[in-house]
Amino acid sequence: MGIDEYGGGQGPQSDVLIVTTNDAPGYRVQQVIGEVFGLTVRSRHLGSQIGAGLKSMIGGELKGLTKTLVETRNQAMERLVEQALVRGANGVLMMRFDVTEAADVGTEVCAYGTAVVLVKE
């Protein structure tokens, strides 16, 4: 697996600027739209669970699970962007991820933040 399979985030041509900070340097918040989120739940694959259990006994990174979590976060982020665009935003401030177990059958990943309209200064 290449390094590109272990990362995420926005590409340089995104329609929505997403930051984890309270503001975006070089931009002024013209309008606060409100909270937006993107949510996805992924079930666990039995084979990956067995492999992860075996790997945990000898140590090391669980590459299959790492890749799955990256894909899941990226999907949640894509849904966050879709929600922001639908509501008329071009920015999301204070973006965060929340990850929880979903009834012992999967993992819930939520990307959330505050949708805003940004104006370049």
Side-chain angles (χ1 to χ4, degrees):
M1 283 189 263
I3 190 69
D4 57 324
E5 295 178 288
Y6 292 105
Q10 295 183 283
Q13 303 300 322
S14 180
D15 294 331
V16 177
L17 177 64
I18 300 176
V19 296
T20 59
T21 54
N22 291 330
D23 54 15
Y27 293 87
R28 177 178 53 82
V29 175
Q30 181 178 28
Q31 177 186 0
V32 174
I33 295 173
E35 181 191 12
V36 289
F37 66 90
L39 178 69
T40 185
V41 178
R42 294 281 176 105
S43 64
R44 293 191 185 97
H45 181 273
L46 180 60
S48 68
Q49 286 296 95
I50 293 169
L54 293 172
K55 185 74 171 186
S56 68
M57 287 189 273
I58 59 172
E61 181 181 10
L62 306 173
K63 291 184 180 183
L65 292 176
T66 299
K67 185 177 177 184
T68 299
L69 186 54
V70 167
E71 291 169 353
T72 304
R73 282 182 174 221
N74 287 341
Q75 183 177 46
M77 181 81 96
E78 289 168 10
R79 291 177 178 176
L80 170 75
V81 168
E82 290 171 10
Q83 287 298 307
L85 287 171
V86 164
R87 295 190 55 199
N90 67 349
V92 176
L93 303 179
M94 295 295 296
M95 194 285 295
R96 299 285 187 268
F97 285 108
D98 184 45
V99 180
T100 55
E101 294 299 312
D104 293 330
V105 295
T107 302
E108 172 192 334
V109 175
C110 182
Y112 64 94
T114 303
V116 296
V117 175
L118 296 171
V119 177
K120 197 158 182 76
E121 292 184 324

